[in-house]
Amino acid sequence: MAATGVERTGPGDATGSTLLKGFAGFGSFMQDASVKSLIEASDSEYKPPIIPVDIAPEVCTEFGKVQREHFMLGSEYHFVNHGAFGAVARTVFNAASRWREYAEIQPLKFIDRELLPLLVYTIREFAAFIGASKTDVVFVPSATVGLNTVINAAAREWVSGDEVISLSIGYSAVRKMLDIRCAETSAKHVVVPIGMPPSNDAIVAAVAQHLTPRTKFAVFDHVTSNSALVLPVEQLVALCKQRGVPVLIDGAHAVGMLDLNMERIGADWYVSNLHKWFCCPRGCAFLYARPERHEALTPLVISHGSGDGFTSAFIWDGNRDYSATLAVLTAVKLWRAWGVDRARDYMHHTVREQGQLLAEAWTTDVLAPWEMCGAMALVRVPHECAGIANTDEAFPAHAKHVQDTLFHTFQVEAPIKVLDGKLYVRISAHVYNHKIDYKALSSAISTMRNQTLGKVVVCTKGGGCA
């Protein structure tokens, strides 16, 4: 590895020599300043790089039906499942395409001389958006990568008899991560049961009951995936801090949906995707860590920046496509042009208004109080649409049957969930959604219910339906 900041003399200066500077960072990247110095520079000292592509978004500030054409979604489906894998805004997608094309015009110039300063600039802009210090945020390819990174680091300190906690309503992949690391370390994974219907007070009380002197780590969703609940993470973090327990927040659904401020939340680590509610192309997420947690975090992919600080360790993980990350610059500008609070208010209002209308149309109810919902909510679906009585227990096979019928017959994309033997539809709302999407869902479920009345659909708990 070349030395940093080394000066050598050669022909050309006043004494017949020229000052030659060594590489200003890790590896052999031909940059004039190190990643570490760029990320640590104060706002007054920092000089942003020249931006070689157009990052200004094309903005439509009207929400609802007219906004749909400004997303990459096709028109053949009523899309009320933004919460699954998101939907990319067309202008952000186009920005990523411009970055991808620019990189190929002169790859060495882009990778060796421009990429790292551009990534630092992107970190600085995005960190301000989420209320975090620029030195505490790094980009990773996905929330899954970020979560594994934190759990792997934390697990190095676990020993036999230690406990780690998560919630029964947490994301199943995270449960598997914890199970594997606990098996390797002989620690115990304590899953805190959360009953339905939920309440913030009940969730906090359940966690408090399960924290013990042996608890060494806790992970909570900010927004649960299966049940669409916004959890009281600030209260949970404060509770755990009182007991000396470090906390990881899985915020996969949070950026864009909720008002985020890392300092206010206070978690030791926070991870979120940017392809969901933030509307970036897939392949970009972020990991936040408090300063005292930086040193212990090791990227899953070790490369040139290792040993040169937190940002340097994560900023480069090989010669890959970084266009989705650079497109974050356009996404930040787009959200500010929409008005962050205005966009979020539209999403939340749409979910509440349409969720209530669906419950009234089907004579059912919603899973949780509205104060626990963001831009997603679960609305109970009448069991008759699956060919069973409302008093009968529903199985996952019933849910798949209803979801498949919505998709294939009615061109409605909406996920059907089973909680406590009841069927629910998880509705999402983004700035492109309109009441016509939810009317299509309402009509489809009502039609299915009418068509199956008097018919018997037999499903088994672990099998299919007939």
Side-chain angles (χ1 to χ4, degrees), residues 251-271:
H253 284 276
V255 183
M257 183 193 290
L258 303 176
D259 178 19
L260 288 187
N261 185 291
M262 295 296 108
E263 298 299 328
R264 185 181 67 235
I265 292 169
D268 295 86
W269 310 272
Y270 193 107
V271 173

Side-chain angles (χ1 to χ4, degrees), residues 297-310:
L297 287 175
T298 304
L300 300 185
V301 177
I302 306 298
S303 193
H304 294 296
S306 179
D308 200 34
F310 182 54

Side-chain angles (χ1 to χ4, degrees), residues 27 29 61 72 87 98 112 116 122 146 177 202 205 212 248 260 263-264 293 299 327 392-394 398 412:
F29 292 97
T61 57
M72 297 298 292
R98 289 193 293 272
D112 259 3
L116 298 186
T122 307
M177 296 175 203
T212 76
L248 164 63
L260 288 187
E263 298 299 328
R264 185 181 67 235
R293 301 296 180 184
D392 290 344
E393 180 182 5
H398 292 111
V412 173

Side-chain angles (χ1 to χ4, degrees), residues 93-113:
F93 179 89
N94 290 341
S97 298
R98 289 193 293 272
W99 281 114
R100 193 175 300 111
E101 181 177 354
Y102 177 80
E104 300 306 327
I105 293 172
Q106 220 286 28
L108 266 292
K109 175 175 179 258
F110 176 71
I111 296 170
D112 259 3
R113 301 177 186 273

